[in-house]
Amino acid sequence: MDIGNLVAPSSFCWNPACSEYGKVHAGNIRKFGRTPAGTQRYQCKLCRQTFVETIGTVFYRRHRSQETILECLALLAERNSLAAIHRTKGVKEETVMAWLYQAAEHVERIEALLLANYQLTRAQLDAMWTYVGNKGEKGAMPKLASAALSGAA
Ligand SMILES: [Zn+2]
């Protein structure tokens, strides 16, 4: 899987209730054995939550790299318009919206990734989700986006 230059999912805490949530190289993550399937497991020393190294797999089977997807979402959070993102990143408006709808189904993971990779504030993240209505609520999803996302799970 292409994760571009993103920080490794194992380098920050994924627990939104943790004070080190999304903070990279805070020294709070340690290796914590393996799953029965042999996948490396990590633990946050602060909140004691455990993670597996594959937790970052949110945009599975997308044509663009996770880095491009996250960058577009970060640009949205910084209140760039969809038209501006199309101009600068060459990604169509409906594509960015489709990513955002998919991101809304993994709010905690996406926010952790964005916080770990970009200088974003809580207010900017909240502004981003206003594009898709109530975050994580499937009922708020228009038919068009649902169709664009079918088979993406
Ligand atoms: Zn933690």
Side-chain angles (χ1 to χ4, degrees), residues 73-74 76-77 100 110 114 123-132:
L73 296 182
L76 262 190
L100 190 55
I110 292 297
L114 285 169
Q124 286 176 313
L125 289 174
D126 287 342
M128 180 183 76
W129 296 122
T130 62
Y131 280 92
V132 287

Side-chain angles (χ1 to χ4, degrees), residues 6-8 11-13 21-24 110-120:
L6 289 175
V7 299
S11 55
F12 56 91
C13 183
Y21 175 58
K23 291 184 192 165
V24 183
I110 292 297
E111 289 190 347
L113 274 169
L114 285 169
L115 287 168
N117 285 281
Y118 300 94
Q119 305 298 315
L120 294 173

Side-chain angles (χ1 to χ4, degrees), residues 27-101:
N28 57 315
I29 304 297
R30 66 176 172 198
K31 286 192 176 178
F32 194 69
R34 289 184 179 270
T35 65
T39 304
Q40 180 66 55
R41 190 188 276 136
Y42 298 88
Q43 186 191 41
C44 173
K45 289 189 242 174
L46 243 83
C47 65
R48 310 222 170 256
Q49 187 137 330
T50 58
F51 319 95
V52 292
E53 63 192 2
T54 53
I55 198 171
T57 313
V58 174
F59 295 105
Y60 186 56
R61 278 185 287 180
R62 296 268 129 196
H63 295 302
R64 301 283 187 143
S65 70
Q66 282 198 39
E67 190 180 33
T68 302
I69 295 170
L70 277 182
E71 200 179 341
C72 287
L73 296 182
L75 285 167
L76 262 190
E78 288 164 350
R79 301 184 191 248
N80 292 282
S81 68
L82 287 165
I85 293 171
H86 188 192
R87 263 199 317 277
T88 56
K89 303 300 296 178
V91 180
K92 283 190 221 159
E93 300 176 19
E94 58 263 35
T95 304
V96 176
M97 284 309 292
W99 290 341
L100 190 55
Y101 278 111

